[in-house]
Amino acid sequence: MRQKVIVLGLDCATFRFIKPYAQEGWLPNLKRVMAKGVSRVLKSTVPPISPPAWTTFLTGKNPGRHGIFQFVDMDVSKYGFVSNRLINSSLFSGQTFIDFISNQNLKVGIIKVPFTYPPWKVNGFMIAGEPSPDWEKAHTYPSELSDRIGRVNLGSSIDFIRYNTDELLRHLKFDCDVRTRIACEMLETERYDFFMLVHNITDAAAHRFWKFTDPGCPNYEQNFSRYKNIIRDIYVEADKSIGQILKKIDQDTTVFFMSDHGASRKPIHFFHPNAWLKEMGYLHCKDRRSSAQRVRSLLTIIKNFLPHVPRQLIMHVLQMYVLKKFSAFQTRAANFDWSETRAYAVNLYTTYDGIALNLKGRQPNGIVEPGTDAERLCIEIQSALADIRDPRNGEKIIEKIYRREEVFKGHFTDRMPELILQYNHNYRGGRDTESSLVTDVPPADFDFQSGDHDENGIFVACGNNIKKGIELAPAKIQDMAPTILYAMGLPVPDDMDGQVMLDIFEQDFVEKSLVKRVNGRQWTATQSYELSENESDKIREKLKGLGYI
């Protein structure tokens, strides 16, 4: 018998907020479903950032198999590492669990799942999530649904930079209310076998408002007391939405709550891996600086000394129109002497860096021999970095060092650097090659965004076949897709990396509902779609306005 499932996503949600807020009575709906069901930490991707995490959620595959690691293409065989091409849904649409459900002639409703632009044909409807080119208009399948929905955002991406705290709160509440209204209207008028809504107000709250609640932020001030409960208030809005939506579903529907990653304070110290590699003799630099480097030096001065709003606007213009064709790494790499460089660092996310070998036959001017020499160099660098400490306080800087094959599986794995560094939560990768190995992050860096991501997302489930009132060990975000299909009574494609979370279900249900596997390779991608220059510019402007790139 087919079971209905609804998934409510809270982007960037974390139990570090949900548990105390629920315990204090602020989140009655989440408190009730946690008591009636199961909860656990949901481990995100490496790095824990939305593009790979949501794609992994949708496909059940790790980034090494679907090839999405960031907002743009990444490929270690190119010295620039990141390209100027933004990712879009056509890289995986047609191969998601949503498509698998649709192809069983089951009806789906999808609202604002990130990275579903452009929306594609499903058996039901899809409202594309961010990023998309238009700030106010919804992009939908079928297309005529957009007019029915109306305006979905206030202001513009530039306004998002200019907003003061109260204006941003108004924007986020509007966004939450619009998504809730659409969900309730759709659930009232149609029957869906699978339904999903994602709220991103919890993500914006963590990024923008952490400084009001955490004395560990360099720019935390006691006169922020007016906003000391601002993150809690955003979670309250999300919980109200959950309550309204749960009233629209019947008792036979299984409900999953999840987030793509967790949240934490932004790190307060830089560790400069390329400065360390240079000091150790693995990296060599030229004597001159490129013009792009000089512009980026100007950006640093602007960031550290101008007031918040003009600083963000000037940086936005410079990044959009002056450095549009250059990544930060391309700027630095222009000064590397590749004929002498054996290894160099590339940034994967705030708290994750990669160490890439300058491999002969892979990079244009590679000098490291593949095979034994490359393996020996990896071991040498990994060993030297493993226990590196902040000389000022003795704190260990790097939490974990992975070989890329430990993290990624699949034919896109080779695009990633050989070593993956996960920093201690107080440290992030710095970009300097000439500075001290460890420096402090300037307080101005916390003005626009003070919160960051960590790997610990959330998972909560409740329903007739779900165990009651227990907390389980962590699972992985790639386990979501097969678990949703299993809960609906559907087979699981055998090319998914994720596993069904059998431990969330009652034993009698598991005993009578065996996990069935089918050939997943029969599902192919929809037609490839290249974003136009205009679409790319608008999406890039929006992402910069939101502080994501």
Side-chain angles (χ1 to χ4, degrees), residues 38-105:
V38 302
S39 60
R40 70 188 338 155
V41 166
L42 193 66
K43 292 289 184 180
S44 188
T45 50
V46 174
I49 188 170
S50 292
W54 283 113
T55 307
T56 291
F57 164 80
L58 287 166
T59 62
K61 300 173 183 177
N62 83 91
R65 211 176 300 279
H66 60 62
I68 292 174
F69 301 94
Q70 251 283 7
F71 289 96
V72 293
D73 286 338
M74 289 181 162
D75 189 348
V76 76
S77 70
K78 299 174 174 60
Y79 285 133
F81 186 52
V82 296
S83 77
N84 201 42
R85 189 182 80 141
L86 292 164
I87 64 164
N88 69 80
S89 68
S90 73
L91 298 171
F92 56 82
S93 57
Q95 302 177 90
T96 71
F97 75 83
I98 295 169
D99 300 295
F100 188 85
I101 295 169
S102 272
N103 290 334
Q104 311 302 310
N105 203 31

Side-chain angles (χ1 to χ4, degrees), residues 147-392:
D147 292 334
R148 173 181 164 188
I149 290 170
R151 187 174 186 173
V152 293
N153 272 310
L154 296 174
S156 67
S157 57
I158 293 293
D159 290 328
F160 207 81
I161 295 173
R162 288 195 292 241
Y163 281 151
N164 62 34
T165 302
D166 291 323
E167 290 169 332
L168 182 55
L169 275 173
R170 185 170 65 91
H171 169 95
L172 295 178
K173 189 176 186 308
F174 179 88
D175 179 86
C176 183
D177 290 345
V178 167
R179 297 184 193 211
T180 306
R181 172 181 60 78
I182 294 168
C184 290
E185 288 177 359
M186 292 299 190
L187 288 166
E188 285 172 349
T189 55
E190 293 282 351
R191 180 191 180 279
Y192 295 93
D193 299 286
F194 177 78
F195 194 89
M196 182 167 183
L197 162 73
V198 175
H199 279 306
N200 71 353
I201 60 170
T202 39
D203 183 74
H207 282 300
R208 298 289 293 272
F209 301 146
W210 200 283
K211 63 186 177 183
F212 296 127
T213 63
D214 185 353
C217 274
N219 60 351
Y220 174 82
E221 296 178 25
Q222 292 301 325
N223 61 13
F224 287 168
S225 58
R226 177 185 172 193
Y227 299 113
K228 66 182 180 181
N229 294 318
I230 193 167
I231 293 179
R232 184 198 70 192
D233 294 343
I234 291 294
Y235 273 79
V236 167
E237 291 297 322
D239 189 76
K240 288 178 183 176
S241 171
I242 288 167
Q244 292 178 57
I245 293 168
L246 291 181
K247 289 178 182 177
K248 305 298 179 183
I249 64 175
D250 60 44
Q251 297 300 309
D252 294 327
T253 301
T254 299
V255 184
F256 294 141
F257 302 84
M258 53 78 62
S259 65
D260 54 331
H261 48 70
S264 63
R265 186 204 64 215
K266 274 177 68 173
I268 57 177
H269 307 301
F270 284 123
F271 170 70
H272 301 279
N274 278 321
W276 181 85
L277 289 166
K278 183 182 176 189
E279 182 179 284
M280 299 294 288
Y282 299 114
L283 171 68
H284 293 263
C285 293
K286 302 172 186 175
D287 293 330
R288 64 184 184 278
R289 294 202 309 163
S290 68
S291 57
Q293 282 180 298
R294 288 192 287 271
V295 174
R296 290 206 180 271
S297 295
L298 175 60
L299 283 177
T300 301
I301 295 170
I302 290 170
K303 182 187 292 187
N304 292 339
F305 295 105
L306 281 182
H308 164 60
V309 172
R311 177 175 73 243
Q312 288 299 133
L313 291 172
I314 292 170
M315 288 178 65
H316 181 78
V317 171
L318 282 172
Q319 289 172 331
M320 281 300 300
Y321 302 108
V322 180
L323 291 170
K324 174 182 170 182
K325 297 188 181 299
F326 297 95
S327 72
F329 179 73
Q330 283 174 314
T331 306
R332 295 188 304 277
N335 199 43
F336 293 172
D337 182 352
W338 297 114
S339 67
E340 297 288 336
T341 292
R342 291 185 290 160
Y344 56 98
V346 294
N347 179 242
L348 301 179
Y349 182 60
T350 317
T351 51
Y352 287 79
D353 275 338
I355 303 292
L357 303 188
N358 190 22
L359 208 60
K360 187 178 290 187
R362 183 178 67 182
Q363 285 99 323
N365 301 301
I367 62 172
V368 177
E369 290 287 349
T372 303
D373 287 356
E375 176 63 19
R376 186 184 300 117
L377 185 55
C378 278
I379 293 172
E380 186 179 306
I381 293 173
Q382 185 170 1
S383 176
L385 278 171
D387 196 41
I388 194 163
R389 295 180 180 270
D390 189 331
R392 305 170 305 177

